[in-house]
Amino acid sequence: MTIDNSESERKSFLTEMTLECASGKRQVRVTDISSGGCYVETIVAVQVGEEVKFDLSHPDGRMVPFSGEVAYHFPGLGFGVKFINLNDEQKAFLFRITGDVIN
């Protein structure tokens, strides 16, 4: 399996969150983030292509909702999420964390 991370550089971003997926709501941990997605550390089983929803904590304390699609999955370890349908608030959040401008 090849994982293409060439779109944007990942930054360490450790946070706990509630993930909403096909199997319900689960507590998970994000370990890194980029302007294109994030890595979720969890034993939760997901399918590549599955849509997930979650809120990330903004540096000023606000919660920002995100939607994504499972890009790849390492069973028992975690999975990568590709962000989808980013709005201006989400783009500003990601810029503040990663420094990447998102068109």
Side-chain angles (χ1 to χ4, degrees):
M1 167 189 261
T2 301
I3 300 168
D4 181 10
N5 293 326
S6 60
E7 278 185 40
S8 51
E9 184 180 336
R10 292 175 176 232
K11 307 280 186 191
S12 180
F13 185 78
L14 300 173
T15 188
E16 303 284 326
M17 67 176 189
T18 301
L19 177 82
E20 194 174 327
C21 60
S23 64
K25 291 184 178 184
R26 307 282 191 247
Q27 286 299 118
V28 299
R29 177 180 309 160
V30 173
T31 58
D32 63 58
I33 195 166
S34 73
S35 60
C38 63
Y39 185 78
V40 178
E41 193 175 83
T42 182
I43 61 170
V44 172
V46 293
Q47 300 296 316
V48 171
E50 179 179 335
E51 187 173 339
V52 295
K53 296 180 181 191
F54 50 90
D55 293 341
L56 293 175
S57 179
H58 194 277
D60 69 8
R62 289 181 294 129
M63 297 301 282
V64 179
F66 281 85
S67 293
E69 182 178 287
V70 176
Y72 58 89
H73 182 223
F74 298 120
L77 299 173
F79 57 91
V81 173
K82 177 182 177 184
F83 296 133
I84 56 175
N85 304 320
L86 292 173
N87 62 32
D88 289 341
E89 180 184 26
Q90 294 161 329
K91 290 176 184 179
F93 172 92
L94 293 170
F95 174 76
R96 189 153 181 204
I97 301 299
T98 67
D100 295 336
V101 176
I102 305 165
N103 297 323

